[in-house]
């Protein structure tokens, strides 16, 4: 893995159901995030449970999807993280909605794992040039 650098932030990761249960990718994204120096990884309680996106479930059953999201957001709050990382576009949008619904936009960023990793690489490269 290239050099990476965090901002001293606390981060957590919500794995997508598709990655976990269809593709059988359980730990790879979190493992990459855990390796970033100057960041603190916090395991998300009950991370194995869906965020409510479930493909297009959030579009077909918005009331139930939001109930699932509310439960997930209570777990996100427990982590006291500054960054909530996902690896699926549907989960990203659902978790971003949860942050908005909870009024936490000034407390926690929602990032796709690829974006978070790229930013950490760019940060390390910038620090190396100084």
């Amino acid at each position: 893995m290239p050099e990476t650098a965090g901002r001293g932030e606390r981060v957590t990761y919500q794995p997508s159901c598709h990655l976990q249960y269809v593709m059988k990718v359980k730990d790879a994204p979190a493992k990459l995030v855990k390796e970033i120096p100057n960041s603190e990884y916090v395991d998300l309680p009950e991370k194995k449970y869906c965020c409510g996106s479930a493909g297009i479930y959030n579009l077909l059953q918005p009331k139930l999807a939001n109930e699932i999201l509310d439960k997930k957001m209570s777990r996100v709050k427990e982590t006291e993280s500054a960054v909530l990382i996902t690896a699926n576009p549907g989960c990203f949008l659902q978790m971003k909605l949860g942050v908005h619904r909870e009024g936490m936009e000034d407390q926690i960023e929602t990032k796709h794992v690829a974006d978070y990793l790229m930013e950490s690489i760019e940060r390390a490269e910038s620090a190396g040039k100084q």
Side-chain angles (χ1 to χ4, degrees):
M1 184 158 125
E3 291 290 320
T4 57
R7 302 177 306 224
E9 72 275 26
R10 181 177 248 195
V11 301
T12 194
Y13 170 69
Q14 167 61 38
S16 74
C17 296
H18 181 79
L19 272 179
Q20 290 185 96
Y21 304 118
V22 177
M23 298 181 72
K24 307 295 184 207
V25 175
K26 300 233 185 250
D27 300 320
K31 187 175 178 182
L32 289 170
V33 172
K34 288 177 186 178
E35 295 294 320
I36 297 174
N38 196 30
S39 69
E40 178 188 359
Y41 181 85
V42 180
D43 219 16
L44 180 62
E46 299 181 2
K47 65 183 178 187
K48 68 181 180 179
Y49 297 117
C50 183
C51 65
S53 176
I56 61 169
Y57 185 75
N58 56 344
L59 300 175
L60 299 175
Q61 296 290 333
K63 184 177 185 299
L64 293 173
N66 284 336
E67 289 175 13
I68 293 167
L69 178 59
D70 291 343
K71 289 178 187 172
K72 181 60 70 173
M73 290 308 298
S74 69
R75 297 300 183 219
V76 170
K77 286 178 186 177
E78 290 175 22
T79 70
E80 299 179 353
S81 293
V83 183
L84 170 57
I85 300 168
T86 67
N88 174 284
C91 297
F92 172 82
L93 292 173
Q94 184 76 346
M95 298 308 290
K96 194 160 185 73
L97 173 64
V99 168
H100 174 74
R101 284 169 43 105
E102 294 293 325
M104 298 173 60
E105 293 97 340
D106 60 341
Q107 298 167 27
I108 188 166
E109 294 178 85
T110 308
K111 297 267 183 185
H112 189 279
V113 67
D115 293 327
Y116 185 74
L117 292 171
M118 192 64 215
E119 289 171 8
S120 71
I121 291 168
E122 290 170 350
R123 193 175 302 111
E125 288 174 349
S126 291
K129 293 177 185 176
Q130 296 177 9

